[in-house]
Amino acid sequence: MKLAVFDFDSTLMDGETLEFLAREFNLQEQIAAITKRAMNGEIDFFESLIERVALLKGLEQSKVEYICKNLPMMNGAKEIITELNNAGFKTVCFSGGFKTATTPARHFLGLDADFANILHFKNGKMTGLVGGEMMFSSSKGEMLVTLQNLLGVSPENTVAVGDGANDLSMFKHAGTRVSFCGKEVLKNAANIVITEKDLTLAIQPILQMNGVC
C-alpha cells in the first residue's frame, strides 16, 4: 500500500480558507499578513492560528459553511487525486484549517480521509475559538506517523505534498516530498518542486518516484 497526503490551503484549494472568511469583515489583508509569516516559518503556527481565528469572532455559521462549501479547488486537484487513487494510493488531506472546508472537498475530490481543526460556534456564530487535531507545527507529522502505523505504510511508500512551513513535519516521514508553489523553507526539504499552480504537473514525478510508471 502507498499513501499520499496533501495539504489543503494553497495546495488542494486555491487560496487560504481564513482569507476567504476574512472578506466578510474586510480583514483579509491583516489575516493574510499573519498567514504569510506563519507559512514562512517566521512565527509559531499555533499562535498564528489562534490569532487569526479570534479576529473572526461573530461571523455567522451559515456564512462560514456556505463559503467553505464553495472554495475554489486548485487546478489539477481532481485529476491528481483520481490518478493516485487509480494507482492504488490511499489519498488523505491534512489541514491546519477547518473541517468545514476539508470535508466538502474530500467528497468532491474523492479523498479517503481528511484531518483538520474544528471551529467553535455558539448561537449560530463563531466564538473566535478553535480546536482539533492539526493545531501545531508538529501535528501533520505526528498524524502521518499514526496513519503509517495503522495502514502498515513505510515512509518510502509515502508521498507528502504541501506549500508551507507547517508541512515540514510530514516531510520528515515521507520518501516523496513535493513542494507545490512552496515557500523557500519547504523547497529546501523537497525532492520534487512544482512552481506552477497546476497539480497535474506533479502526477508523473510522483508516480515515477514510486515506481508506478
Side-chain angles (χ1 to χ4, degrees):
M1 184 183 293
K2 294 181 182 293
L3 174 65
V5 180
F6 290 79
D7 171 48
F8 184 68
D9 292 288
S10 298
T11 301
L12 287 176
M13 192 271 286
D14 190 2
E16 296 288 327
T17 303
L18 275 168
E19 292 173 27
F20 283 100
L21 297 176
R23 293 176 183 178
E24 297 297 314
F25 288 161
N26 293 317
L27 291 173
Q28 57 266 41
E29 291 185 7
Q30 184 176 347
I31 285 182
I34 301 169
T35 301
K36 182 177 180 180
R37 294 183 65 201
M39 293 303 99
N40 284 329
E42 297 170 13
I43 56 175
D44 180 77
F45 178 78
F46 172 76
E47 293 174 342
S48 75
L49 179 63
I50 296 298
E51 182 180 358
R52 286 176 289 166
V53 173
L55 289 169
L56 299 179
K57 181 179 180 179
L59 184 58
E60 293 179 6
Q61 182 173 358
S62 59
K63 286 187 176 180
V64 173
E65 292 174 349
Y66 177 81
I67 291 168
C68 287
K69 287 178 181 178
N70 291 280
L71 293 169
M73 293 298 102
M74 184 65 70
N75 184 30
K78 181 77 169 178
E79 290 82 355
I80 194 171
I81 299 303
T82 299
E83 288 284 346
L84 293 179
N85 285 342
N86 289 341
F89 284 81
K90 290 293 183 182
T91 53
V92 179
C93 171
F94 284 175
S95 178
F98 317 107
K99 295 283 283 188
T100 47
T102 61
T103 298
R106 170 169 60 85
H107 293 301
F108 173 73
L109 296 174
L111 293 159
D112 290 295
D114 63 301
F115 297 87
N117 297 315
I118 300 172
L119 293 169
H120 184 245
F121 297 96
K122 189 174 183 179
N123 299 323
K125 294 184 178 181
M126 283 181 60
T127 64
L129 301 176
V130 60
E133 53 215 5
M134 292 286 157
M135 295 286 289
F136 303 96
S137 59
S138 61
S139 296
K140 292 183 179 182
E142 292 166 359
M143 184 62 74
L144 179 53
V145 171
T146 298
L147 280 186
Q148 288 171 332
N149 290 336
L150 284 171
L151 298 174
V153 177
S154 67
E156 292 74 23
N157 286 326
T158 300
V159 178
V161 185
D163 75 304
N166 68 324
D167 297 314
L168 282 171
S169 67
M170 64 177 180
F171 270 28
K172 294 177 182 178
H173 307 285
T176 304
R177 304 176 297 278
V178 183
S179 167
F180 180 73
C181 300
K183 307 300 185 289
E184 200 64 31
V185 66
L186 201 68
K187 285 183 182 179
N188 293 335
N191 49 25
I192 296 174
V193 176
I194 305 298
T195 58
E196 298 178 44
K197 290 175 69 172
D198 183 356
L199 280 167
T200 64
L201 297 176
I203 295 173
Q204 289 306 313
I206 289 173
L207 294 179
Q208 289 170 2
M209 188 164 285
N210 286 272
V212 179
C213 63

